[in-house]
Amino acid sequence: MTDDFAAVLVINAGSSSLKYQLVQPVSGIVRGSGLIERIGGPVSELRHTGPGGTTRSESRIPDATAAFAAMVDGFAAHGPDLAKQPPIAVGHRVVHGGTRFSAATLVDAGVRTEIEQLVPLAPLHQPANLAGIDAAAALFPDLPQVAVFDTAFHGTIPPAAHTYAVPQQWREEYAVRRYGFHGTSHRWASGRAAALLGRADARMVVLHLGNGASACAVDSGRSVETSMGLTPLEGLVMGSRSGDIDPAIAGHLARVAGLSAEQIDTALNQQSGLRGLVGDNDFRELQDRVDAGDPVAQLAFDVVVHRLVKYVGAYAATLGRLDAVVFTGGIGENSAALRTAVVEKLALFGAVLDPTRDAGRGERIVSSPTSRLTVLVVPTDEERQIAMECVQL
Ligand code: AMP
């Protein structure tokens, strides 16, 4: 391992945003962080937090290279000084590792090519991740660039769970299978939950519920099933993604509404989920409307809860035993109403929430001491998990 003060620069490069964090993996101390949004737009927004506080500004950032230069300016102006205390590595969140990458990997020319070959599996995100790797490598030529894949944790899912019952040619020629995403978050949350439970062999379901949402069945620290598939569209109801639907809906709409494959793809990814049900993808907004007695919002809430309960039940059967359910992500961590509704419906497993514990903060057990099923809240920390994997590598 490394000394407690060594920091990793963690990069999450999206198609129009750059999120970065300089974090010490052992202590978890965040020394600096920032977010640049609307890259490529007329006005980009920059936020940097360093030892001197938080600064915000606006300027035009045309591309990833300019965004990385702005990040370096942020560190130079508001600290910490990267020249004085350089990070030991740059850790990149990369969305798709296909079947090739099941662990954090040092990026060299060959690995970069292999990541590029996976672009067809994640055409929106993978090119942005690559642009981030290229920009960071140009800026920090002496630092190891490490790719940490969102799919990697799910490399242990057995064939019976990751194989779709579709034609052989689709599976073999077009790599159609379940990959799963949110792996870094599931790895972090299940690891913390196992530590809180004091049981490395715990069998649990992790519910990562944010704007994107997925469930993961974890047995002794290994992912054995997850709800996202070839793409992040499958599974739970999300902010703007439908999650599971009858796949024949696509053909039906092509015939009756003349929609193209691209229009259907866009509608299911961007205009469905909570947005499709209530017109807004923000869960807080939904909750306010539920509290005000809005029946449309209540139905959406019920659809979300129903899907979650269905997945927990199925995954409990898959695992053969259920020791714990873990809530993480913006909604999972913050919405007591959602946790209450889900846990109430898990009475079959003897789950009882403790409202006092549930009202607490941070990582904690929120079920009552007499509950047969342990329910936990674990704030996700993908940056620290990425930094830890860089150091381990
Ligand atoms: P994430 O993608 O993990 O950042 O999560 C974003 C989602 O978390 C959004 O739908 C937010 O409305 C939701 N969220 C954040 N804070 C709260 C809160 N206090 N109560 C309910 N939902 C929240």
Side-chain angles (χ1 to χ4, degrees), residues 322-345:
L322 187 62
D323 301 313
V325 170
V326 186
F327 287 90
T328 190
I331 301 167
E333 292 162 28
N334 294 304
S335 176
L338 183 85
R339 290 194 296 269
T340 304
V342 170
V343 173
E344 258 175 23
K345 289 194 179 286

Side-chain angles (χ1 to χ4, degrees), residues 90-108 111-112 114-115 118 126 133 145-157 179-180 183-184 187 222 385-393:
V90 185
H92 296 268
R93 180 182 186 190
V94 178
V95 66
H96 222 302
T99 50
R100 164 67 182 81
F101 298 105
S102 55
T105 305
L106 197 62
V107 182
D108 58 17
V111 166
R112 193 203 174 283
E114 287 180 290
I115 295 174
L118 296 168
Q126 200 88 337
I133 291 174
Q145 308 290 325
V146 179
V148 178
F149 300 91
D150 232 22
T151 48
F153 183 53
H154 303 302
T156 47
I157 293 178
Y179 294 96
T184 304
R187 198 193 291 273
R222 292 157 66 90
Q385 179 66 43
I386 289 173
M388 278 173 22
E389 290 180 38
C390 288
V391 168
Q392 280 156 8
L393 180 72

Side-chain angles (χ1 to χ4, degrees), residues 7 13 32 41 44 56 102 119 123 142 154 188 216 283 290 296 342 365 392:
S44 313
R56 289 166 207 277
S102 55
V119 165
D142 299 329
H154 303 302
W188 172 263
C216 182
F283 198 81
V290 168
V296 174
V342 170
I365 290 172
Q392 280 156 8

Side-chain angles (χ1 to χ4, degrees), residues 208-212 281-285 287 329-331 334-335:
H208 175 106
L209 311 176
N211 219 355
N281 67 343
D282 193 308
F283 198 81
R284 272 171 295 201
E285 182 81 13
Q287 243 171 249
I331 301 167
N334 294 304
S335 176

